[in-house]
Amino acid sequence: MNLAPARLRGMASALLEARNVPSAHARLQADLLLEAELRGLPSHGLQRLPLILSRLDKGLADGQARGSGTWRRRSFLSVNGERGLGPVVVMQALKAMRPVVGETGIAIAAIHNANHIGMLAYYAEAAARSGLIGVVMSTSEALVHPFGGTQAMLGTNPVAIGIPSGDQPFVLDLATSVVSMGKINHHAMRGMPIPPGWAVDAEGRPTTDANAARTGAIAPFGGAKGYGLGLAIELLVAALAGSDLAPDVRGTLDDIHAANKGDLLILIDAAAGDGSVRSLASYLDRLRGSHPSDPASPVAVPGDGARQRRAATERSGIELPQPLLEHLLALEAA
């Protein structure tokens, strides 16, 4: 059964508000979860809501907190998330950064002690639509094995980049692992096998069993290159945010520990350089119009697919795994 996005957004907001989350914070958290569903990223969508609710119930997340920041340098903001909901803390930090970007052309915020921030593209695109270049990075528990290894030692360590480019900003959002753990959890929830090459089991053996992958390790994307990029993000975020490194990180996948991963935000005034947004948009259109290897599949640029999926899902509605839907309906009725 497909449900209207508005119905699910209202459900998520109401469940959050029932746990004393202010309505504005609840709407923001719900909107981020729904945006992930609409863009075809259910791993960062409503399947995360029960965990968020449980963390609120247990005091591991503070729905009223917005985080507090200290400007350590003219353009460097250190943020204590105060156990706040990730989207609330990030959007508050971005708000604090904007006046500084107007003066200096660049601002950086390093966040610790905040809950999972969800789909990074949400923030990068928001920055780009406001005329700024946005770069967002985050770390996680040890879920990814190093190139040539089998033991989970790094986070999935995603990065998103948003660049103004006319009506539709360029938005790149990728994990430095082949997939996120959320996507493996999504396959496990639906009883679906995972493709070969995604992960190894707890014994280091390649597996297509999603449940076995949950206790094993995910592969870095692109072999040594993905491993190197993921490690660089691991070190960069930990160095600036003062957060723990992956083997000691907890709290983005459980309702037992405080979240101790880190997040990094960079805002750059696109007008500070000599480039032209108009020329960027024209170049992206040239890429889209270039000769495809398959005539039935035109060349796309990052962000195009998400926008197309969003438009289609707005029309068709969102289909949730039956166990998740039943669980959310039971919480709503309680």
Side-chain angles (χ1 to χ4, degrees), residues 55-69:
R55 292 182 63 81
L56 287 164
D57 290 340
K58 295 181 178 182
L60 295 168
D62 181 350
Q64 299 191 36
R66 298 185 297 173
S68 58

Side-chain angles (χ1 to χ4, degrees), residues 44-302:
H44 286 61
L46 287 167
Q47 76 175 42
R48 290 188 175 267
L49 180 58
L51 179 60
I52 294 170
L53 299 177
S54 181
R55 292 182 63 81
L56 287 164
D57 290 340
K58 295 181 178 182
L60 295 168
D62 181 350
Q64 299 191 36
R66 298 185 297 173
S68 58
T70 301
W71 289 97
R72 305 277 183 199
R73 298 287 189 274
R74 188 179 180 193
S75 295
F76 183 82
L77 179 66
S78 176
V79 178
N80 180 347
E82 300 174 337
R83 294 182 293 110
L85 296 173
V88 175
V89 175
V90 171
M91 295 305 282
Q92 184 68 20
L94 290 173
K95 181 179 179 181
M97 295 165 70
R98 285 191 174 92
V100 174
V101 175
E103 295 177 5
T104 67
I106 187 169
I108 299 172
I111 302 172
H112 68 280
N113 194 26
N115 281 274
H116 191 264
I117 68 174
M119 179 181 65
L120 271 56
Y122 187 90
Y123 314 107
E125 182 168 345
R129 288 194 180 280
S130 70
L132 301 175
I133 295 170
V135 182
V136 187
M137 304 177 201
S138 188
T139 57
S140 74
E141 291 90 338
L143 299 169
V144 180
H145 65 74
F147 178 69
T150 61
Q151 182 181 356
M153 293 295 294
L154 296 93
T156 53
N157 300 353
V159 57
I161 302 172
I163 303 173
S165 55
D167 294 336
Q168 298 292 351
F170 170 89
V171 182
L172 173 71
D173 184 357
L174 56 85
T176 52
S177 54
V178 171
V179 293
S180 67
M181 180 55 76
K183 197 159 191 176
I184 288 177
N185 287 336
H186 180 70
H187 277 66
M189 187 181 299
R190 290 180 176 268
M192 298 163 52
I194 60 174
W198 274 19
V200 297
D201 63 17
E203 304 301 320
R205 298 170 301 202
T207 185
T208 59
D209 183 331
N211 284 306
R214 295 167 82 175
T215 59
I218 307 170
F221 87 86
K225 293 181 180 180
Y227 163 53
L229 179 59
L231 180 56
I233 291 173
E234 185 87 40
L235 301 177
L236 180 61
V237 173
L240 294 177
S243 52
D244 285 86
L245 293 163
D248 298 316
V249 169
R250 303 290 185 273
T252 71
L253 296 171
D254 67 63
D255 58 358
I256 300 172
H257 303 94
N260 60 346
K261 50 75 186 171
D263 310 297
L264 188 66
L265 315 175
I266 304 172
L267 289 183
I268 305 169
D269 185 357
D274 296 328
S276 166
V277 169
R278 185 177 294 107
S279 67
L280 299 184
S282 176
Y283 174 57
L284 294 179
D285 283 340
R286 288 178 63 190
L287 284 171
R288 294 182 180 101
S290 63
H291 295 295
S293 58
D294 179 358
S297 300
V299 174
V301 300

